Amino acid sequence: MSDHDFVSGSKPIGLERGEGVSLYTADGTDYLDAGASFACTPLGHSHPAVVDAVTEQVGNLTFVDSSFPVQSREDAYASLVAATPDGLDQAWFCNSGTESNEAALKFARSATGNSKIIAATRSFHGRTMGSLAATWKDKYKEPFEPLAGDVEFVPYGDSEELAAAVDDETAAVILEPIQGEGGINVPPQGYLETAREVTDEADAALIFDEVQTGMGRTGSMWACENVGVTPDILTTAKGLGNGLPVGAVAVADWIADGAASHNATFSGGPVVAAAVHATISTLVEEEWPTHAAEMGDYLTSELEDALGDEVREIRGEGLLIGLELKRGANRVARDLAINHQILALPAGRTVLRLLPPLVIDESEADQIVAALTEIIAPDAAEAES
Ligand SMILES: *Cc1c(COP(=O)(O)O)cnc(C)c1O
């Protein structure tokens, strides 16, 4: 962290190089990255396919605005739309997750002519004024009020409350198919289906925020595919450019046809577009979502065997894993980093979040399990050795 950065927290780990799931400091210490900086590098650090595509593009043509056809941008749109569920055939690129949700809310309002937004408790949709209004935590919101209005919160996972809240005045329901920042919360079976039914009945838009769950992390390209529910608007970002700053909104035709003017100068810039195309092509061609499903099952069952009753719950899908601890997650994450050179993330006070790059293998997963066993279940670790 720079001396001049008055916003970001600092970790005392100066990183210089990354490869696969490993990060290296200048003095050569290597860290196993089990957080991927919030799921931003699904293919692992500095993946050659992305590095090559970006390097070539930045040298050939770094930027022209989106009114000019550029091959890398055409390729990015084509690969994104091919990778999204059927029925989401139009897309728009932006620069981040919050901006993708900002756009989604605007598209939904203009396409429906309504303003009411239904969001869920413990949601996180970003920190610009519109997305922030649909985000749950007061701590993030209160200092900046008043925010955009007409947002109503319903308890995440409660189908009845959701059905009761949606009516003719509703522009959109916005949900994470699995909540990330809110603690890796998987909704009960039937919840996303209900969201689909009630928005259909009310002619409202269903927005799935897949900023964290997308790009293969949950074992399918998109978490909504695991339950077979297609939204009208799907937003994504984090892993989309394997670390380059890019977000996207994929929409159904009725949204595209009804959406009023919205754009951004850097939308689909040639360099980030090259990163998107390389990332999606590699994920799809090399079937990393399937690997994520297998490694997620492996890691989850190994953790369950090793930690058992020492944790309250292990939940998630694929390589989006949350451990509900019996103690503070921050201290466990710190212990993991300092004493085991493993980087993981807290999600709220008691949830430890594992979001490794999807390319993680069994021996790397074993390292995570062994380290967590030593920290959380030391008696079991002793018996093993
Ligand atoms: C991180 C995140 C966002 C915000 O993305 P930024 O790129 O930080 O603006 C929005 N929604 C979800 C689900 C996220 O995890």
Side-chain angles (χ1 to χ4, degrees):
M1 175 196 162
S2 153
D3 286 345
H4 308 289
D5 178 346
F6 76 101
V7 172
S8 309
S10 82
K11 291 192 181 77
I13 300 170
L15 297 168
E16 194 179 65
R17 198 170 65 79
E19 189 182 343
V21 300
S22 298
L23 288 165
Y24 301 89
T25 61
D27 67 8
T29 310
D30 65 289
Y31 286 84
L32 197 169
D33 188 2
S37 288
F38 306 97
C40 285
T41 54
L43 294 173
H45 292 283
S46 300
H47 189 284
V50 182
V51 171
D52 290 350
V54 165
T55 307
E56 193 184 329
Q57 186 62 52
V58 79
N60 284 342
L61 178 62
T62 302
F63 190 73
V64 286
D65 74 69
S66 61
S67 62
F68 299 98
V70 171
Q71 192 60 47
S72 74
R73 179 180 291 126
E74 305 285 315
D75 291 344
Y77 273 102
S79 54
L80 176 67
V81 166
T84 52
D86 288 345
L88 302 178
D89 295 331
Q90 310 280 326
W92 179 73
F93 284 111
C94 53
N95 309 284
S96 68
T98 195
E99 210 188 328
S100 69
N101 288 322
E102 204 73 37
L105 296 172
K106 285 181 71 181
F107 292 156
R109 281 188 168 180
S110 57
T112 61
N114 287 325
S115 64
K116 188 166 93 170
I117 306 293
I118 311 289
T121 57
R122 301 167 86 181
S123 62
F124 185 85
H125 299 298
R127 297 181 187 242
T128 53
M129 297 298 250
S131 306
L132 187 59
T135 288
W136 171 245
K137 246 193 209 171
D138 282 339
K139 187 181 92 173
Y140 294 152
K141 292 189 289 191
E142 272 168 359
F144 307 105
E145 287 173 345
L147 303 172
D150 228 355
V151 180
E152 184 184 328
F153 288 90
V154 293
Y156 186 72
D158 186 327
S159 293
E160 277 177 32
E161 294 260 11
L162 178 62
V166 175
D167 59 25
D168 294 351
E169 321 259 278
T170 306
V173 170
I174 181 166
L175 295 171
E176 295 155 83
I178 297 173
Q179 290 186 326
E181 306 298 317
I184 314 297
N185 305 315
V186 184
Q189 230 180 348
Y191 181 63
L192 301 175
E193 289 86 339
T194 300
R196 180 65 283 175
E197 279 160 28
V198 298
T199 45
D200 274 341
E201 275 162 27
D203 292 325
L206 178 61
I207 304 171
F208 281 164
D209 175 349
E210 296 237 22
V211 170
Q212 190 162 154
T213 52
M215 301 300 288
R217 179 144 300 276
T218 67
S220 300
M221 197 65 181
W222 313 102
C224 66
E225 292 175 311
N226 292 331
V227 288
V229 176
T230 302
D232 302 293
I233 306 179
L234 182 151
T235 63
T236 184
K238 292 199 165 92
L240 181 60
N242 205 51
L244 272 86
V246 60
V249 190
V251 306
D253 287 340
W254 73 272
I255 299 285
D257 293 344
S261 169
H262 178 75
N263 209 348
T265 303
F266 282 122
S267 171
V271 175
V272 294
V276 169
H277 178 59
T279 304
I280 294 178
S281 307
T282 308
L283 278 173
V284 171
E285 281 159 25
E286 298 180 2
E287 299 181 9
W288 288 111
T290 308
H291 180 77
E294 289 162 6
M295 287 307 303
D297 285 348
Y298 177 75
L299 185 51
T300 303
S301 73
E302 292 292 302
L303 286 169
E304 267 161 5
D305 287 350
L307 303 178
D309 293 341
E310 300 299 318
V311 294
R312 288 212 162 81
E313 192 184 17
I314 299 174
R315 55 183 184 245
E317 186 101 50
L319 289 171
L320 180 70
I321 301 171
L323 286 81
E324 178 85 52
L325 307 176
K326 293 179 177 174
R327 60 174 113 171
N330 252 324
R331 283 181 56 190
V332 173
R334 215 184 142 74
D335 194 346
L336 269 178
I338 290 171
N339 299 318
H340 300 271
Q341 287 75 51
I342 293 174
L343 305 176
L345 298 161
R349 216 169 44 78
T350 56
V351 178
L352 186 77
R353 187 167 29 160
L354 300 175
L355 319 168
L358 309 188
V359 299
I360 190 170
D361 65 23
E362 279 193 13
S363 75
E364 291 152 349
D366 291 342
Q367 288 177 48
I368 298 173
V369 177
L372 278 170
T373 309
E374 252 189 75
I375 297 169
I376 293 171
D379 296 344
E382 193 109 317
E384 279 281 301
S385 59

